[in-house]
Amino acid sequence: MITRRHVLQSLAATTAAATFLPGFAQGKRRNLKLGFDNFSIRAFGWKAPQLLDYAATQKVDVVLFSDLDVYENHSDAYLKDVRKKAADLGIEVQVGTGSICPSAKSFNPKYGTAEEHLALLIRVAKTMGTGVARCYQGTADDRKLPGGLPARWKDTIKVCKAVRSQAIDAGVKIAIENHAGDMQAWQLANLIEECGKEFVGATLDSGNATWTLEDPMRNLEILGPYAVTTGIRDSMVWETPEGANAGWTAMGEGQVDWQKYFDRFAQLCPGVAVLLEIISGAIRPYPFKQEEFWKDYGDIRAKEFLGFTTMAKAGKPIAPFRPPADKERKLAEQEFQKAELERSLKYCREVLGLGLKT
């Protein structure tokens, strides 16, 4: 007969064994802050206060407000109210915006010139009490513009140098992201060096690495020493007749060896928070077997490309996100994005031992 005592002993033994499983939360904790980028749940359209309330339910350490539209306005009084709310909830806030390159296809003049736009971001960061000002140069589309990426680098460096004194006086570091296929890690590292490491660093994005035909581990090795903040998600790359496809997944559902990744991350990026930017269901083709493809990707280095093709050989196809036919698209997107983020947070805590809150 199985007694209550037998059951309790069995449960105790199971718990003890689980503690020693590789990466189990109670067996291996990493002293790394965990949070998310509001773009992960963009379909909700929440403003800063709502995002903070949600972040509190998820018990995260940090939230990155990666766009300036998340605020009702940019007055000091309003920003200080948001800052106080975050402090009361015990949540660190980082701030960000989009393209700061005036010649990039994705640049939006809504906030004035590129210099005015970046100056606003720095003021918001200072008022919000963060030293992180995340932004990016552009997207892969800039490769097709006159002058290609080199012309965009020149403009981006000029804009950053124009606000150098403002950033340094505010104690804010401009964190440029490797974004949407615009730069490989070595190119962003060169740009940061040209700007000046004392006030410019990197937003290290593991997912965007695959969109520039490189392995996220190689991306980490190069950008890790420059990292100010992050945009983390998993990736899957697989072969196609034309070349390969790259897609993004929830954490633990792609190809990245996250145990190895965060062991190295802790060495290269001490004190840098792990911000999840989950964009599952986005898939991009890379027909690199076609000669025309290389017209825009002639800058890709062999070592990085080898890492990408190695991933492709080991990967398997995944499906893009499509809302169910019987559900309104916006609601379906909200449910999908929220589920992907929360599953990723759970994986990061329970498997990778991330986060300071329990």
Side-chain angles (χ1 to χ4, degrees):
M1 181 179 293
I2 299 176
T3 66
R4 180 174 180 273
R5 181 181 179 186
H6 289 135
V7 172
L8 292 175
Q9 287 175 336
S10 177
L11 286 173
T14 301
T15 301
T19 302
F20 293 98
L21 288 174
F24 189 77
Q26 294 181 9
K28 183 174 185 179
R29 298 298 304 170
R30 291 181 167 93
N31 189 32
L32 296 170
K33 295 176 184 177
L34 177 65
F36 65 89
D37 181 330
N38 68 296
F39 193 74
S40 298
I41 47 173
R42 58 204 172 279
F44 288 91
W46 286 338
K47 296 298 184 181
Q50 294 168 292
L51 285 163
L52 288 171
D53 287 335
Y54 172 73
T57 69
Q58 299 305 305
K59 296 181 171 61
V60 297
D61 306 301
V62 193
V63 173
L64 169 60
F65 295 150
S66 60
D67 64 273
L68 291 171
D69 291 337
V70 77
Y71 311 102
E72 296 287 353
N73 61 72
H74 301 122
S75 70
D76 284 355
Y78 172 82
L79 294 174
K80 286 176 180 177
D81 283 344
V82 175
R83 177 177 175 176
K84 183 179 184 304
K85 181 180 178 71
D88 290 343
L89 292 171
I91 298 171
E92 177 186 332
V93 172
Q94 297 180 0
V95 307
T97 192
S99 172
I100 58 163
C101 175
S103 60
K105 195 169 182 180
S106 56
F107 179 74
N108 188 341
K110 175 179 181 178
Y111 296 109
T113 66
E115 289 82 0
E116 291 168 341
H117 187 170
L118 190 49
L120 171 61
L121 178 64
I122 291 168
R123 181 176 69 79
V124 171
K126 180 182 179 181
T127 308
M128 289 294 292
T130 177
V132 177
R134 172 265 186 189
C135 56
Y136 56 80
Q137 177 180 276
T139 67
D141 290 338
D142 296 334
R143 293 172 173 272
K144 300 177 182 182
L145 297 177
L149 289 183
R152 312 290 85 75
W153 299 335
K154 182 179 179 180
D155 290 342
T156 301
I157 292 167
K158 181 181 177 182
V159 171
C160 288
K161 287 185 174 181
V163 299
R164 179 181 181 277
S165 62
Q166 292 167 259
I168 291 175
D169 290 346
V172 170
K173 209 159 191 180
I174 299 167
I176 302 176
E177 182 180 316
N178 55 304
H179 183 260
D182 65 348
M183 285 183 280
Q184 287 194 318
W186 66 274
Q187 293 168 321
L188 178 52
N190 287 346
L191 185 146
I192 292 169
E193 292 282 357
E194 183 69 22
C195 288
K197 291 189 295 182
E198 71 277 9
F199 77 107
V200 179
T203 298
L204 189 159
D205 193 302
S206 62
N208 283 333
T210 59
W211 276 26
T212 51
L213 288 81
E214 63 182 339
D215 181 342
M217 282 300 303
R218 173 69 177 164
N219 176 274
L220 170 63
E221 287 293 335
I222 296 173
L223 281 186
Y226 299 93
V228 177
T229 188
T230 57
I232 302 295
R233 59 191 169 281
D234 214 337
S235 295
M236 181 71 75
V237 183
W238 65 98
E239 292 182 313
T240 66
E242 298 78 22
N245 282 352
W248 294 327
T249 73
M251 294 293 288
E253 298 175 14
Q255 290 174 277
V256 180
D257 182 342
W258 291 113
Q259 298 289 357
K260 179 181 177 183
Y261 187 98
F262 283 113
D263 280 346
R264 188 63 176 139
F265 182 96
Q267 296 171 346
L268 295 173
C269 317
V272 177
V274 178
L275 279 301
L276 301 185
E277 186 186 19
I278 308 302
I279 319 176
S280 301
I283 295 173
R284 179 171 290 196
Y286 290 88
F288 57 76
K289 292 181 182 179
Q290 300 175 3
E291 185 176 349
E292 184 180 354
F293 172 83
W294 294 103
K295 180 178 66 176
D296 300 322
Y297 285 87
D299 58 305
I300 299 299
R301 299 197 310 192
K303 188 169 185 178
E304 277 73 10
F305 185 59
L306 179 60
F308 178 82
T309 55
T310 299
M311 288 183 70
K313 290 182 183 300
K316 59 183 180 181
I318 58 174
F321 167 71
R322 290 192 178 92
D326 61 346
K327 185 166 289 187
E328 191 268 325
R329 183 177 181 87
K330 184 175 181 180
L331 177 60
E333 288 177 345
Q334 290 176 340
E335 292 177 351
F336 177 73
Q337 290 173 13
K338 187 170 180 284
E340 293 289 294
L341 174 59
E342 292 181 6
R343 192 163 71 255
S344 295
L345 286 168
K346 180 178 174 67
Y347 176 86
C348 286
R349 286 198 179 95
E350 297 183 1
V351 179
L352 302 178
L354 302 181
L356 304 185
K357 296 178 181 177
T358 58

mmCIF file of all heavy atoms in Angstrom, residues 96-139:
data_model
loop_
_atom_site.group_PDB
_atom_site.id
_atom_site.type_symbol
_atom_site.label_atom_id
_atom_site.label_comp_id
_atom_site.label_asym_id
_atom_site.label_seq_id
_atom_site.Cartn_x
_atom_site.Cartn_y
_atom_site.Cartn_z
ATOM 1 N N GLY A 96 14.258 53.987 -25.271
ATOM 2 C CA GLY A 96 14.768 53.833 -26.622
ATOM 3 C C GLY A 96 13.922 54.545 -27.653
ATOM 4 O O GLY A 96 12.892 55.153 -27.350
ATOM 5 N N THR A 97 14.374 54.455 -28.897
ATOM 6 C CA THR A 97 13.656 55.015 -30.033
ATOM 7 C C THR A 97 14.061 54.250 -31.283
ATOM 8 O O THR A 97 14.731 53.217 -31.191
ATOM 9 C CB THR A 97 13.942 56.521 -30.186
ATOM 10 O OG1 THR A 97 13.020 57.087 -31.123
ATOM 11 C CG2 THR A 97 15.368 56.787 -30.668
ATOM 12 N N GLY A 98 13.679 54.761 -32.454
ATOM 13 C CA GLY A 98 13.969 54.089 -33.717
ATOM 14 C C GLY A 98 15.251 54.580 -34.366
ATOM 15 O O GLY A 98 16.265 54.789 -33.708
ATOM 16 N N SER A 99 15.166 54.817 -35.672
ATOM 17 C CA SER A 99 16.353 55.196 -36.442
ATOM 18 C C SER A 99 16.805 56.615 -36.116
ATOM 19 O O SER A 99 15.998 57.536 -36.027
ATOM 20 C CB SER A 99 16.061 55.097 -37.939
ATOM 21 O OG SER A 99 17.126 55.636 -38.704
ATOM 22 N N ILE A 100 18.132 56.771 -35.970
ATOM 23 C CA ILE A 100 18.712 58.102 -35.758
ATOM 24 C C ILE A 100 19.578 58.509 -36.951
ATOM 25 O O ILE A 100 20.315 59.490 -36.866
ATOM 26 C CB ILE A 100 19.567 58.140 -34.471
ATOM 27 C CG1 ILE A 100 20.686 57.090 -34.538
ATOM 28 C CG2 ILE A 100 18.679 57.942 -33.247
ATOM 29 C CD1 ILE A 100 21.801 57.295 -33.557
ATOM 30 N N CYS A 101 19.463 57.751 -38.046
ATOM 31 C CA CYS A 101 20.235 58.057 -39.249
ATOM 32 C C CYS A 101 19.355 58.807 -40.233
ATOM 33 O O CYS A 101 18.369 58.251 -40.729
ATOM 34 C CB CYS A 101 20.760 56.775 -39.891
ATOM 35 S SG CYS A 101 21.618 57.040 -41.455
ATOM 36 N N PRO A 102 19.658 60.071 -40.551
ATOM 37 C CA PRO A 102 18.768 60.882 -41.388
ATOM 38 C C PRO A 102 18.603 60.356 -42.808
ATOM 39 O O PRO A 102 17.601 60.661 -43.463
ATOM 40 C CB PRO A 102 19.436 62.259 -41.387
ATOM 41 C CG PRO A 102 20.875 61.984 -41.095
ATOM 42 C CD PRO A 102 20.866 60.812 -40.149
ATOM 43 N N SER A 103 19.564 59.565 -43.303
ATOM 44 C CA SER A 103 19.463 59.061 -44.673
ATOM 45 C C SER A 103 18.953 57.621 -44.732
ATOM 46 O O SER A 103 18.862 57.038 -45.814
ATOM 47 C CB SER A 103 20.828 59.142 -45.362
ATOM 48 O OG SER A 103 21.800 58.375 -44.675
ATOM 49 N N ALA A 104 18.604 57.035 -43.578
ATOM 50 C CA ALA A 104 18.069 55.671 -43.558
ATOM 51 C C ALA A 104 16.622 55.678 -44.024
ATOM 52 O O ALA A 104 15.880 56.639 -43.803
ATOM 53 C CB ALA A 104 18.163 55.090 -42.153
ATOM 54 N N LYS A 105 16.220 54.607 -44.653
ATOM 55 C CA LYS A 105 14.857 54.504 -45.164
ATOM 56 C C LYS A 105 13.830 54.545 -44.038
ATOM 57 O O LYS A 105 12.705 55.015 -44.216
ATOM 58 C CB LYS A 105 14.710 53.214 -45.969
ATOM 59 C CG LYS A 105 13.475 53.147 -46.832
ATOM 60 C CD LYS A 105 13.526 51.971 -47.790
ATOM 61 C CE LYS A 105 12.295 51.954 -48.682
ATOM 62 N NZ LYS A 105 12.334 50.798 -49.617
ATOM 63 N N SER A 106 14.208 54.057 -42.860
ATOM 64 C CA SER A 106 13.274 53.974 -41.734
ATOM 65 C C SER A 106 13.266 55.217 -40.846
ATOM 66 O O SER A 106 12.528 55.274 -39.863
ATOM 67 C CB SER A 106 13.610 52.750 -40.870
ATOM 68 O OG SER A 106 14.958 52.802 -40.448
ATOM 69 N N PHE A 107 14.081 56.221 -41.173
ATOM 70 C CA PHE A 107 14.111 57.427 -40.336
ATOM 71 C C PHE A 107 12.788 58.167 -40.414
ATOM 72 O O PHE A 107 12.235 58.401 -41.487
ATOM 73 C CB PHE A 107 15.241 58.361 -40.768
ATOM 74 C CG PHE A 107 15.303 59.626 -39.950
ATOM 75 C CD1 PHE A 107 15.773 59.614 -38.659
ATOM 76 C CD2 PHE A 107 14.855 60.836 -40.482
ATOM 77 C CE1 PHE A 107 15.809 60.779 -37.892
ATOM 78 C CE2 PHE A 107 14.882 62.005 -39.732
ATOM 79 C CZ PHE A 107 15.366 61.971 -38.433
ATOM 80 N N ASN A 108 12.287 58.577 -39.238
ATOM 81 C CA ASN A 108 11.014 59.292 -39.144
ATOM 82 C C ASN A 108 11.281 60.711 -38.631
ATOM 83 O O ASN A 108 11.767 60.888 -37.520
ATOM 84 C CB ASN A 108 10.077 58.557 -38.186
ATOM 85 C CG ASN A 108 8.673 59.124 -38.174
ATOM 86 O OD1 ASN A 108 8.434 60.255 -38.598
ATOM 87 N ND2 ASN A 108 7.730 58.353 -37.686
ATOM 88 N N PRO A 109 10.935 61.744 -39.412
ATOM 89 C CA PRO A 109 11.202 63.127 -38.993
ATOM 90 C C PRO A 109 10.213 63.663 -37.955
ATOM 91 O O PRO A 109 10.218 64.852 -37.639
ATOM 92 C CB PRO A 109 11.083 63.904 -40.305
ATOM 93 C CG PRO A 109 10.112 63.108 -41.121
ATOM 94 C CD PRO A 109 10.365 61.670 -40.768
ATOM 95 N N LYS A 110 9.399 62.789 -37.393
ATOM 96 C CA LYS A 110 8.382 63.189 -36.419
ATOM 97 C C LYS A 110 8.954 64.001 -35.272
ATOM 98 O O LYS A 110 8.316 64.927 -34.766
ATOM 99 C CB LYS A 110 7.689 61.940 -35.876
ATOM 100 C CG LYS A 110 6.689 62.194 -34.769
ATOM 101 C CD LYS A 110 6.036 60.902 -34.328
ATOM 102 C CE LYS A 110 5.006 61.147 -33.225
ATOM 103 N NZ LYS A 110 4.326 59.900 -32.821
ATOM 104 N N TYR A 111 10.190 63.677 -34.862
ATOM 105 C CA TYR A 111 10.801 64.360 -33.720
ATOM 106 C C TYR A 111 11.877 65.351 -34.162
ATOM 107 O O TYR A 111 12.774 65.676 -33.390
ATOM 108 C CB TYR A 111 11.382 63.332 -32.751
ATOM 109 C CG TYR A 111 10.317 62.439 -32.147
ATOM 110 C CD1 TYR A 111 10.222 61.095 -32.512
ATOM 111 C CD2 TYR A 111 9.389 62.944 -31.239
ATOM 112 C CE1 TYR A 111 9.238 60.280 -31.962
ATOM 113 C CE2 TYR A 111 8.402 62.139 -30.690
ATOM 114 C CZ TYR A 111 8.327 60.805 -31.056
ATOM 115 O OH TYR A 111 7.356 60.004 -30.528
ATOM 116 N N GLY A 112 11.764 65.840 -35.377
ATOM 117 C CA GLY A 112 12.704 66.840 -35.871
ATOM 118 C C GLY A 112 13.859 66.212 -36.621
ATOM 119 O O GLY A 112 13.750 65.114 -37.169
ATOM 120 N N THR A 113 14.978 66.899 -36.635
ATOM 121 C CA THR A 113 16.176 66.378 -37.290
ATOM 122 C C THR A 113 16.700 65.170 -36.506
ATOM 123 O O THR A 113 16.275 64.917 -35.376
ATOM 124 C CB THR A 113 17.273 67.443 -37.358
ATOM 125 O OG1 THR A 113 17.708 67.739 -36.014
ATOM 126 C CG2 THR A 113 16.773 68.723 -38.025
ATOM 127 N N ALA A 114 17.636 64.464 -37.103
ATOM 128 C CA ALA A 114 18.218 63.319 -36.404
ATOM 129 C C ALA A 114 18.885 63.756 -35.104
ATOM 130 O O ALA A 114 18.779 63.077 -34.072
ATOM 131 C CB ALA A 114 19.227 62.620 -37.319
ATOM 132 N N GLU A 115 19.550 64.900 -35.136
ATOM 133 C CA GLU A 115 20.212 65.413 -33.934
ATOM 134 C C GLU A 115 19.188 65.780 -32.860
ATOM 135 O O GLU A 115 19.379 65.489 -31.667
ATOM 136 C CB GLU A 115 21.076 66.634 -34.269
ATOM 137 C CG GLU A 115 22.331 66.322 -35.068
ATOM 138 C CD GLU A 115 22.068 66.195 -36.562
ATOM 139 O OE1 GLU A 115 20.886 66.345 -36.986
ATOM 140 O OE2 GLU A 115 23.021 65.921 -37.310
ATOM 141 N N GLU A 116 18.089 66.420 -33.268
ATOM 142 C CA GLU A 116 17.028 66.775 -32.321
ATOM 143 C C GLU A 116 16.367 65.522 -31.744
ATOM 144 O O GLU A 116 16.034 65.468 -30.554
ATOM 145 C CB GLU A 116 16.003 67.661 -33.010
ATOM 146 C CG GLU A 116 16.515 69.047 -33.352
ATOM 147 C CD GLU A 116 15.594 69.819 -34.282
ATOM 148 O OE1 GLU A 116 14.742 69.188 -34.965
ATOM 149 O OE2 GLU A 116 15.721 71.068 -34.348
ATOM 150 N N HIS A 117 16.172 64.542 -32.596
ATOM 151 C CA HIS A 117 15.570 63.268 -32.179
ATOM 152 C C HIS A 117 16.437 62.590 -31.113
ATOM 153 O O HIS A 117 15.948 62.175 -30.053
ATOM 154 C CB HIS A 117 15.436 62.369 -33.417
ATOM 155 C CG HIS A 117 14.684 61.094 -33.175
ATOM 156 N ND1 HIS A 117 14.286 60.267 -34.190
ATOM 157 C CD2 HIS A 117 14.266 60.488 -32.038
ATOM 158 C CE1 HIS A 117 13.657 59.222 -33.698
ATOM 159 N NE2 HIS A 117 13.634 59.331 -32.389
ATOM 160 N N LEU A 118 17.736 62.505 -31.363
ATOM 161 C CA LEU A 118 18.646 61.851 -30.424
ATOM 162 C C LEU A 118 18.788 62.664 -29.139
ATOM 163 O O LEU A 118 18.878 62.108 -28.041
ATOM 164 C CB LEU A 118 20.009 61.642 -31.084
ATOM 165 C CG LEU A 118 21.019 60.760 -30.334
ATOM 166 C CD1 LEU A 118 20.394 59.452 -29.885
ATOM 167 C CD2 LEU A 118 22.242 60.506 -31.191
ATOM 168 N N ALA A 119 18.773 63.985 -29.260
ATOM 169 C CA ALA A 119 18.844 64.845 -28.070
ATOM 170 C C ALA A 119 17.608 64.633 -27.185
ATOM 171 O O ALA A 119 17.705 64.626 -25.951
ATOM 172 C CB ALA A 119 18.967 66.304 -28.482
ATOM 173 N N LEU A 120 16.437 64.468 -27.816
ATOM 174 C CA LEU A 120 15.215 64.194 -27.060
ATOM 175 C C LEU A 120 15.338 62.870 -26.322
ATOM 176 O O LEU A 120 14.979 62.758 -25.135
ATOM 177 C CB LEU A 120 14.010 64.167 -27.998
ATOM 178 C CG LEU A 120 12.682 63.687 -27.383
ATOM 179 C CD1 LEU A 120 12.248 64.605 -26.242
ATOM 180 C CD2 LEU A 120 11.598 63.590 -28.452
ATOM 181 N N LEU A 121 15.847 61.853 -26.997
ATOM 182 C CA LEU A 121 16.017 60.547 -26.371
ATOM 183 C C LEU A 121 16.930 60.646 -25.148
ATOM 184 O O LEU A 121 16.643 60.057 -24.101
ATOM 185 C CB LEU A 121 16.593 59.554 -27.380
ATOM 186 C CG LEU A 121 16.878 58.150 -26.833
ATOM 187 C CD1 LEU A 121 15.585 57.469 -26.404
ATOM 188 C CD2 LEU A 121 17.619 57.306 -27.872
ATOM 189 N N ILE A 122 17.996 61.390 -25.279
ATOM 190 C CA ILE A 122 18.939 61.548 -24.162
ATOM 191 C C ILE A 122 18.258 62.255 -22.985
ATOM 192 O O ILE A 122 18.431 61.869 -21.823
ATOM 193 C CB ILE A 122 20.180 62.333 -24.626
ATOM 194 C CG1 ILE A 122 20.999 61.474 -25.602
ATOM 195 C CG2 ILE A 122 21.040 62.765 -23.442
ATOM 196 C CD1 ILE A 122 22.085 62.238 -26.332
ATOM 197 N N ARG A 123 17.453 63.285 -23.275
ATOM 198 C CA ARG A 123 16.739 63.988 -22.196
ATOM 199 C C ARG A 123 15.740 63.067 -21.512
ATOM 200 O O ARG A 123 15.626 63.063 -20.271
ATOM 201 C CB ARG A 123 16.014 65.219 -22.751
ATOM 202 C CG ARG A 123 15.267 65.994 -21.662
ATOM 203 C CD ARG A 123 14.622 67.248 -22.178
ATOM 204 N NE ARG A 123 13.498 67.013 -23.065
ATOM 205 C CZ ARG A 123 12.270 66.684 -22.662
ATOM 206 N NH1 ARG A 123 11.998 66.516 -21.367
ATOM 207 N NH2 ARG A 123 11.304 66.535 -23.542
ATOM 208 N N VAL A 124 15.017 62.268 -22.294
ATOM 209 C CA VAL A 124 14.060 61.319 -21.713
ATOM 210 C C VAL A 124 14.792 60.313 -20.825
ATOM 211 O O VAL A 124 14.348 60.004 -19.716
ATOM 212 C CB VAL A 124 13.265 60.594 -22.823
ATOM 213 C CG1 VAL A 124 12.443 59.450 -22.240
ATOM 214 C CG2 VAL A 124 12.346 61.580 -23.554
ATOM 215 N N ALA A 125 15.931 59.821 -21.319
ATOM 216 C CA ALA A 125 16.710 58.854 -20.536
ATOM 217 C C ALA A 125 17.155 59.458 -19.209
ATOM 218 O O ALA A 125 17.034 58.834 -18.146
ATOM 219 C CB ALA A 125 17.918 58.388 -21.342
ATOM 220 N N LYS A 126 17.671 60.675 -19.261
ATOM 221 C CA LYS A 126 18.132 61.339 -18.041
ATOM 222 C C LYS A 126 16.981 61.535 -17.055
ATOM 223 O O LYS A 126 17.114 61.264 -15.848
ATOM 224 C CB LYS A 126 18.764 62.687 -18.386
ATOM 225 C CG LYS A 126 19.273 63.448 -17.168
ATOM 226 C CD LYS A 126 19.862 64.800 -17.548
ATOM 227 C CE LYS A 126 20.334 65.555 -16.311
ATOM 228 N NZ LYS A 126 20.889 66.886 -16.664
ATOM 229 N N THR A 127 15.839 62.001 -17.549
ATOM 230 C CA THR A 127 14.693 62.255 -16.680
ATOM 231 C C THR A 127 14.141 60.963 -16.091
ATOM 232 O O THR A 127 13.676 60.941 -14.945
ATOM 233 C CB THR A 127 13.581 62.995 -17.459
ATOM 234 O OG1 THR A 127 14.132 64.151 -18.093
ATOM 235 C CG2 THR A 127 12.451 63.421 -16.535
ATOM 236 N N MET A 128 14.205 59.887 -16.877
ATOM 237 C CA MET A 128 13.716 58.592 -16.401
ATOM 238 C C MET A 128 14.719 57.895 -15.489
ATOM 239 O O MET A 128 14.438 56.840 -14.930
ATOM 240 C CB MET A 128 13.387 57.694 -17.598
ATOM 241 C CG MET A 128 12.146 58.134 -18.378
ATOM 242 S SD MET A 128 10.630 57.975 -17.428
ATOM 243 C CE MET A 128 10.513 56.197 -17.293
ATOM 244 N N GLY A 129 15.914 58.471 -15.363
ATOM 245 C CA GLY A 129 16.901 57.924 -14.448
ATOM 246 C C GLY A 129 17.639 56.707 -14.959
ATOM 247 O O GLY A 129 18.083 55.870 -14.173
ATOM 248 N N THR A 130 17.789 56.611 -16.281
ATOM 249 C CA THR A 130 18.521 55.489 -16.855
ATOM 250 C C THR A 130 19.716 55.991 -17.655
ATOM 251 O O THR A 130 19.680 57.088 -18.222
ATOM 252 C CB THR A 130 17.622 54.628 -17.775
ATOM 253 O OG1 THR A 130 18.411 53.576 -18.362
ATOM 254 C CG2 THR A 130 17.028 55.455 -18.906
ATOM 255 N N GLY A 131 20.757 55.183 -17.729
ATOM 256 C CA GLY A 131 21.920 55.527 -18.540
ATOM 257 C C GLY A 131 21.874 54.892 -19.908
ATOM 258 O O GLY A 131 22.845 54.956 -20.665
ATOM 259 N N VAL A 132 20.718 54.286 -20.259
ATOM 260 C CA VAL A 132 20.575 53.566 -21.529
ATOM 261 C C VAL A 132 19.659 54.326 -22.476
ATOM 262 O O VAL A 132 18.514 54.629 -22.143
ATOM 263 C CB VAL A 132 19.998 52.156 -21.297
ATOM 264 C CG1 VAL A 132 19.795 51.436 -22.634
ATOM 265 C CG2 VAL A 132 20.908 51.342 -20.392
ATOM 266 N N ALA A 133 20.174 54.614 -23.680
ATOM 267 C CA ALA A 133 19.377 55.255 -24.727
ATOM 268 C C ALA A 133 19.486 54.398 -25.987
ATOM 269 O O ALA A 133 20.367 54.589 -26.813
ATOM 270 C CB ALA A 133 19.867 56.675 -25.001
ATOM 271 N N ARG A 134 18.604 53.447 -26.114
ATOM 272 C CA ARG A 134 18.655 52.494 -27.227
ATOM 273 C C ARG A 134 18.115 53.125 -28.514
ATOM 274 O O ARG A 134 17.120 53.847 -28.511
ATOM 275 C CB ARG A 134 17.852 51.246 -26.858
ATOM 276 C CG ARG A 134 17.656 50.253 -28.005
ATOM 277 C CD ARG A 134 16.355 50.480 -28.710
ATOM 278 N NE ARG A 134 16.066 49.475 -29.729
ATOM 279 C CZ ARG A 134 15.070 49.566 -30.599
ATOM 280 N NH1 ARG A 134 14.267 50.617 -30.587
ATOM 281 N NH2 ARG A 134 14.869 48.617 -31.490
ATOM 282 N N CYS A 135 18.771 52.837 -29.632
ATOM 283 C CA CYS A 135 18.332 53.323 -30.936
ATOM 284 C C CYS A 135 18.952 52.425 -31.998
ATOM 285 O O CYS A 135 19.660 51.473 -31.684
ATOM 286 C CB CYS A 135 18.733 54.789 -31.140
ATOM 287 S SG CYS A 135 20.500 55.092 -30.947
ATOM 288 N N TYR A 136 18.692 52.731 -33.254
ATOM 289 C CA TYR A 136 19.329 51.963 -34.318
ATOM 290 C C TYR A 136 19.582 52.838 -35.532
ATOM 291 O O TYR A 136 19.095 53.969 -35.622
ATOM 292 C CB TYR A 136 18.512 50.722 -34.697
ATOM 293 C CG TYR A 136 17.078 50.956 -35.119
ATOM 294 C CD1 TYR A 136 16.757 51.381 -36.401
ATOM 295 C CD2 TYR A 136 16.024 50.708 -34.227
ATOM 296 C CE1 TYR A 136 15.442 51.564 -36.795
ATOM 297 C CE2 TYR A 136 14.701 50.887 -34.606
ATOM 298 C CZ TYR A 136 14.413 51.303 -35.899
ATOM 299 O OH TYR A 136 13.106 51.476 -36.279
ATOM 300 N N GLN A 137 20.380 52.285 -36.427
ATOM 301 C CA GLN A 137 20.707 53.016 -37.650
ATOM 302 C C GLN A 137 19.607 52.882 -38.692
ATOM 303 O O GLN A 137 19.093 53.861 -39.187
ATOM 304 C CB GLN A 137 22.021 52.498 -38.228
ATOM 305 C CG GLN A 137 22.410 53.164 -39.557
ATOM 306 C CD GLN A 137 23.720 52.617 -40.078
ATOM 307 O OE1 GLN A 137 24.775 53.075 -39.665
ATOM 308 N NE2 GLN A 137 23.664 51.639 -40.947
ATOM 309 N N GLY A 138 19.259 51.633 -39.064
ATOM 310 C CA GLY A 138 18.248 51.441 -40.096
ATOM 311 C C GLY A 138 17.855 49.992 -40.240
ATOM 312 O O GLY A 138 17.710 49.265 -39.259
ATOM 313 N N THR A 139 17.697 49.564 -41.497
ATOM 314 C CA THR A 139 17.290 48.189 -41.786
ATOM 315 C C THR A 139 18.063 47.688 -42.999
ATOM 316 O O THR A 139 18.857 48.420 -43.600
ATOM 317 C CB THR A 139 15.786 48.119 -42.112
ATOM 318 O OG1 THR A 139 15.542 48.806 -43.354
ATOM 319 C CG2 THR A 139 14.942 48.759 -41.019
#
